[in-house]
Amino acid sequence: MNQAVASLSIGERVSKAMLTRTVFTLHPFGLSVPISDTILTSWIVIAVIFLLGLVATRRLKEVPSKPQVLLEAFIGFINKTAEDNLGHHWREFAAFLGSIFTFLLIANLAPIVTPVGGFGFEPPFVIKPLTRDINITAAFAVIVIVVTIASSLRVKNPGGFLKSLVSPVPLMLPFNLLEYIIKPFSLAMRLFGNMLAAFILMQLIEAIVPVIIPPIFSLYFDLFDGLIQAVVFSFLSTIYIAEAIE
Amino acid sequence: MDFHFAALIGAGLAAIGVIGGGIGVGYATGKTSEAIARQPEASGKIMGIFIMGIALAEATSIYGLVVALLLLFK
């Protein structure tokens, strides 16, 4: 009986932590727009990226200082990945792919800075991974697929785009069209499912063993998984765009 | 039988699909380490293909997970 009560409370705790909640509601032009905690966190992430960008590019020197070397390595990594996959069109897409990568990286790694509660101490704020909300990942996937189609239209011209829909044979038209639905769907689901699964597992581990064990698992589920998923998302976007413009 | 219990059993069944993703990722990782051991200089390219491969292999298990979650928190 006691066991049943305890397990119920764990399940309730996890499902409560998993679902997004509405923090406040905005009323622009008579509409009511509920602002959930994930959107609030994404605003914070945007502000952090903005400030980091301002601070990091403040005094760029010919002979780089230590932070500048780090920044140059990061930008160089993004540019090289884009160049390897996109060929001579890389310059047009490197900024877009780099922005997606930077946002997802900081968004996935943000939960690490959450202060740890326990022993009667309530943390003043809790940052949950905002990619556990499917609306965020779906928005990213839609942006990526719109950019993919737009880049195909621009590089290959509308005629070339229509021709790519019926290649290699006209029979493939429904499958090629279906691809534009499956691609964003799988992109959104992959990021959402991975981050949510990692988040739920961490919640379960914290509920069962609150000390010592969680940090070790957190290294994998928060740090490594978040990093890998950010890389995978931006890498797959790169490949989709490369497919569309070749 | 209550619909809730049926949903719980369905969620468990949907989670079986995760096995496929595990097999796929394990197979890809093994082959990748073989390939890198054979040709270490091509590790960059192999890693690119590997990451895309595991992402695609993982997608199916993620669908299983999402179906399970939809059944649990409908």
Side-chain angles (χ1 to χ4, degrees):
Chain A
M1 187 62 211
N2 227 350
Q3 194 70 35
V5 170
S7 68
L8 187 73
S9 73
I10 289 175
E12 274 175 350
R13 184 186 148 166
V14 170
S15 55
K16 199 179 147 217
M18 199 185 98
L19 299 171
T20 57
R21 69 192 167 82
T22 306
V23 181
F24 57 88
T25 310
L26 286 180
H27 296 282
F29 314 118
L31 301 162
S32 71
V33 182
I35 301 297
S36 64
D37 60 330
T38 48
I39 294 179
L40 205 63
T41 322
S42 76
W43 288 349
I44 296 170
V45 170
I46 291 166
V48 166
I49 293 173
F50 185 70
L51 288 176
L52 273 180
L54 272 186
V55 171
T57 58
R58 195 89 180 275
R59 278 187 288 271
L60 295 180
K61 286 180 290 239
E62 198 76 17
V63 180
S65 56
K66 270 179 191 165
Q68 196 184 329
V69 170
L70 208 68
L71 181 74
E72 283 178 5
F74 183 68
I75 303 294
F77 167 71
I78 290 168
N79 282 346
K80 192 171 176 305
T81 315
E83 202 176 351
D84 286 349
N85 292 296
L86 298 175
H88 62 275
H89 287 291
W90 69 274
R91 202 170 274 279
E92 299 155 41
F93 299 106
F96 168 69
L97 295 165
S99 317
I100 285 191
F101 178 60
T102 316
F103 184 89
L104 288 180
L105 192 68
I106 295 187
N108 288 348
L109 299 187
I112 290 170
V113 298
T114 304
V116 179
F119 303 111
F121 169 71
E122 279 287 310
F125 61 94
V126 177
I127 300 176
K128 296 176 192 163
L130 62 95
T131 38
R132 77 180 197 288
D133 186 356
I134 194 161
N135 297 318
I136 303 261
T137 61
F140 267 96
V142 168
I143 292 169
V144 166
I145 207 68
V146 166
V147 167
T148 306
I149 294 173
S151 61
S152 181
L153 283 173
R154 195 176 142 198
V155 173
K156 291 202 282 202
N157 299 327
F161 174 68
L162 291 176
K163 212 173 157 191
S164 77
L165 285 180
V166 290
S167 70
V169 281
L171 194 66
M172 289 294 283
L173 176 67
F175 300 103
N176 285 336
L177 283 176
L178 208 59
E179 212 167 55
Y180 286 109
I181 299 166
I182 291 170
K183 273 178 183 173
F185 182 75
S186 76
L187 265 184
M189 281 299 174
R190 177 176 305 116
L191 186 58
F192 161 73
N194 267 304
M195 295 312 289
L196 186 65
F199 180 69
I200 290 174
L201 272 174
M202 276 314 295
Q203 289 290 322
L204 281 176
I205 292 167
E206 276 168 24
I208 295 165
V209 192
V211 285
I212 302 173
I213 308 286
I216 303 166
F217 282 94
S218 175
L219 270 183
Y220 179 81
F221 286 120
D222 287 340
L223 209 68
F224 183 69
D225 201 36
L227 181 75
I228 286 286
Q229 288 315 314
V231 170
V232 163
F233 191 95
S234 37
F235 190 72
L236 282 176
S237 315
T238 318
I239 299 224
Y240 290 162
I241 291 175
E243 245 174 39
I245 63 173
E246 78 182 1
Chain B
M1 194 158 158
D2 196 358
F3 178 73
H4 183 64
F5 287 112
L8 287 180
I9 291 169
L13 288 175
I16 293 175
V18 174
I19 294 172
I23 294 172
V25 172
Y27 194 73
T29 314
K31 285 289 177 192
T32 304
S33 45
E34 259 177 39
I36 292 180
R38 199 166 292 176
Q39 265 186 323
E41 65 273 17
S43 61
K45 267 189 178 167
I46 295 168
M47 279 309 279
I49 297 168
F50 168 67
I51 287 182
M52 201 182 115
I54 57 164
L56 295 178
E58 213 178 36
T60 51
S61 55
I62 294 297
Y63 298 150
L65 174 80
V66 169
V67 169
L69 288 175
L70 284 177
L71 284 169
L72 281 180
F73 304 96
K74 60 198 176 293

